[in-house]
Amino acid sequence: MTILDQFRLDGKTALVTGCRRGIGKAMAVALAEAGADLIGVSASLEPSGSDVEQRVTALGRVFRAYACDFADRRALYGWIERVKAECPPVDILVNSAGTILRKPAAEHPDEDWDRVVEVNLNAQFILSREFGKDMVARGRGKIIFIASLLTFQGGITVPGYAASKGGVGQLTMALANEWARHGVNVNAIAPGYIATDNTAALRTDLERGPAILSRIPAGRWGQPEDLKGIVVFLASPASGYMHGTIVTVDGGWMAR
């Protein structure tokens, strides 16, 4: 197998959560471009005709669409059962779904904390456990978490988000420690400041927007497409000896 062949995903099935827009959508398209068929899920993903589905199927790949609110644990378990009954075995799991709610810590209500942690951390563990145990049984598989710069830093007015993303980093390493010997690669991507709906409030903030941009050595906000290369690498045989790693794609932010 040549080095470029090692990046191919032909015959693989990838499950991408949060695929309707932003980073998740870009990564779903990237995996399809590399040869994978897709299972896509978002809280409000259209049953058919979504833009991500059109882009994946235009590449000649299969796209199976589902909607599920990961804040609803009963719905999550029911959806997992449905996927296992209706779809091929999952070779690649990309845990991209997430949410963020902004409120100063002294005013941060329980319901905001609970929802963010449920979607960003609890659901990620459940998904990884339920699909990961099948990968362990088969002796192969790829799990890719989406961490954050707030896996390493505290952030401002997002205590639930920071705590959940710190947990994602630890969960990545914990699962890798147990599953590497079984042929399952568990790694994470920590995007920098990417121009998505989740960062719209920051980009339009007259103080924080320019302050953030001035610290990024690359001199620009990232785009969702900046995550395409790394997700294909971590999903492919080319990353076979990587376990428990959190890769930053941040325009140099963490180097400052």
Side-chain angles (χ1 to χ4, degrees):
M1 183 183 291
T2 69
I3 185 59
L4 292 181
D5 288 336
Q6 290 187 42
F7 288 83
R8 294 298 308 173
L9 300 175
D10 302 281
K12 301 296 186 182
T13 297
L15 193 168
V16 181
T17 72
C19 71
R20 187 174 182 270
R21 61 187 182 179
I23 290 172
K25 177 180 172 181
M27 293 192 297
V29 172
L31 295 172
E33 289 173 341
D37 291 328
L38 268 294
I39 302 166
V41 60
S42 288
S44 57
L45 183 63
E46 301 89 339
S48 63
S50 66
D51 185 62
V52 64
E53 177 178 1
Q54 293 179 46
R55 294 187 63 182
V56 168
T57 56
L59 295 164
R61 313 303 176 201
V62 175
F63 186 88
R64 296 173 173 87
Y66 293 91
C68 183
D69 180 2
F70 287 176
D72 182 339
R73 192 172 298 193
R74 178 175 295 182
L76 174 61
Y77 275 111
W79 175 76
I80 291 170
E81 290 183 9
R82 187 178 171 195
V83 169
K84 290 192 177 189
E86 297 176 355
C87 300
V90 173
D91 301 296
I92 302 156
L93 171 62
V94 181
N95 285 311
S96 180
T99 191
I100 187 168
L101 295 172
R102 301 178 186 278
K103 188 80 72 172
E107 305 164 16
H108 207 81
D110 289 355
E111 54 268 27
D112 284 11
W113 173 277
D114 290 344
R115 180 172 182 84
V116 170
V117 171
E118 189 67 27
V119 172
N120 292 6
L121 184 58
N122 295 344
Q124 313 293 330
F125 172 67
I126 292 168
L127 287 161
S128 300
R129 182 189 64 206
E130 294 304 305
F131 290 106
K133 64 185 177 184
D134 297 337
M135 296 177 183
V136 168
R138 294 195 302 270
R140 64 186 183 278
K142 302 277 189 173
I143 296 176
I144 303 165
F145 287 98
I146 304 305
S148 168
L149 295 182
L150 299 196
T151 300
F152 313 103
Q153 300 175 324
I156 299 172
T157 73
V158 286
Y161 184 83
S164 68
K165 291 300 183 177
V168 164
Q170 292 300 117
L171 182 58
T172 299
M173 293 183 282
L175 296 183
N177 286 341
E178 293 192 36
W179 293 349
R181 71 189 68 184
H182 299 292
V184 179
N185 298 85
V186 185
N187 293 289
I189 302 167
Y193 285 93
I194 310 295
T196 66
D197 292 347
N198 276 354
T199 59
L202 290 178
R203 285 181 285 119
T204 57
D205 187 304
L206 296 181
E207 286 190 18
R208 296 202 61 205
I212 288 168
L213 183 60
S214 69
R215 181 183 156 152
I216 301 172
R220 66 175 177 88
W221 284 68
Q223 296 297 319
E225 289 72 23
D226 289 318
L227 283 301
K228 292 175 74 172
I230 188 61
V231 75
V232 170
F233 171 58
L234 292 178
S236 74
S239 60
Y241 198 57
M242 287 186 67
H243 296 278
T245 299
I246 304 170
V247 183
T248 55
V249 182
D250 62 356
W253 176 278
M254 291 299 294
R256 289 292 289 267

